[in-house]
Amino acid sequence: KQEVTQIPAALSVPEGENLVLNCSFTDSAIYNLQWFRQDPGKGLTSLLLIQSSQREQTSGRLNASLDKSSGRSTLYIAASQPGDSATYLCAVRPAFGNAGKSTFGDGTTLTVKP
Amino acid sequence: GAGVSQTPSNKVTEKGKYVELRCDPISGHTALYWYRQSLGQGPEFLIYFQGTGAADDSGLPNDRFFAVRPEGSVSTLKIQRTERGDSAVYLCASSSGLAVGNEQFFGPGTRLTVL
């Protein structure tokens, strides 16, 4: 059974700092990995998707990397801003069996202080 | 077009009652997913549809939960004889398919409270 862990559960940084969020998964046979942000009381917003054959994806100040063999992904946020404050979640889809069944981590809650 | 929409946004019901939660996916998206999220946790998979059929319903917690998607677009999650433990945010997502590059797009969720 796939398990996804995100450590730390919470992170507080001053504005302008670069930071890395971590996501680890126990079964390396994944189809893809997707990073989301969730604002309080809201749904999830897709940030980046990395296919199993890819090593990284970039969008603006965000860069996500994937190391399947070690079961890890990181989300790098450059020059953090107070508007980046949210909970960040990662989700993996299995390479075998039902590819529609995503497994999520519990998220890292990021606070960026002005 | 518009994103994924869910109605109602909030639902308060009494223990033992029946509830229906609706999801309107992005137009043209063939895959539709239901998740349940408790406070402080990530979403938990319930069921997904490819077209009209439930491709995987292994996440439904018991037979009080049922979901349909009769015309391959709108989906309804149905919960019978609700229990206090069913209280959570129910999230719906859709994607254009199950190809490796297809992102899931989420709706705002329905917050269900069972008194």
Side-chain angles (χ1 to χ4, degrees):
Chain A
K1 177 187 172 188
Q2 178 74 271
E3 293 182 2
V4 179
T5 304
Q6 294 185 248
I7 295 173
L11 180 64
S12 180
V13 301
E15 182 177 4
E17 195 162 293
N18 302 326
L19 61 102
V20 173
L21 305 179
N22 299 296
C23 171
S24 61
F25 44 95
T26 55
D27 186 346
S28 61
I30 65 168
Y31 196 45
N32 64 33
L33 183 147
Q34 195 168 355
W35 282 93
F36 298 87
R37 76 172 271 167
Q38 186 173 31
D39 294 287
K42 305 291 186 183
L44 279 65
T45 299
S46 178
L47 297 174
L48 289 165
L49 181 145
I50 310 178
Q51 300 178 26
S52 58
S53 60
Q54 298 175 327
R55 293 301 298 261
E56 64 179 314
Q57 283 287 332
T58 298
S59 176
R61 294 183 294 108
L62 306 179
N63 176 278
S65 69
L66 175 64
D67 183 343
K68 271 201 321 177
S69 61
S70 67
R72 292 181 182 177
S73 176
T74 62
L75 180 66
Y76 174 83
I77 303 177
S80 58
Q81 304 170 357
D84 295 331
S85 298
T87 296
Y88 290 80
L89 298 135
C90 65
V92 297
R93 282 171 54 187
F96 305 106
N98 272 319
K101 186 175 181 177
S102 292
T103 301
F104 279 80
D106 288 336
T108 294
T109 298
L110 173 66
T111 303
V112 181
K113 298 178 179 177
Chain B
V4 178
S5 62
Q6 293 186 245
T7 54
S9 56
N10 281 284
K11 177 70 177 178
V12 180
T13 191
E14 294 179 345
K15 180 175 179 291
K17 299 289 188 182
Y18 169 83
V19 297
E20 290 190 351
L21 311 179
R22 176 187 169 107
C23 173
D24 280 87
I26 293 172
S27 178
H29 277 193
T30 58
L32 183 146
Y33 315 79
W34 283 99
Y35 296 87
R36 179 168 70 173
Q37 187 176 27
S38 299
L39 192 63
Q41 298 182 5
E44 173 192 20
F45 171 82
L46 296 177
I47 184 172
Y48 88 92
F49 292 85
Q50 180 68 325
T52 60
D56 184 348
D57 64 359
S58 63
L60 295 177
N62 52 59
D63 61 6
R64 295 186 297 106
F65 289 74
F66 189 71
V68 296
R69 195 186 185 199
E71 298 178 357
S73 178
V74 171
S75 176
T76 304
L77 178 65
K78 307 180 180 192
I79 310 175
Q80 298 177 325
R81 303 183 305 280
T82 51
E83 300 178 355
R84 293 193 180 89
D86 299 335
S87 297
V89 176
Y90 289 80
L91 296 167
C92 175
S94 69
S95 66
S96 56
L98 291 177
V100 66
N102 291 148
E103 296 176 70
Q104 292 187 54
F105 296 92
F106 279 77
T110 294
R111 181 174 299 276
L112 175 66
T113 303
V114 182
L115 301 177

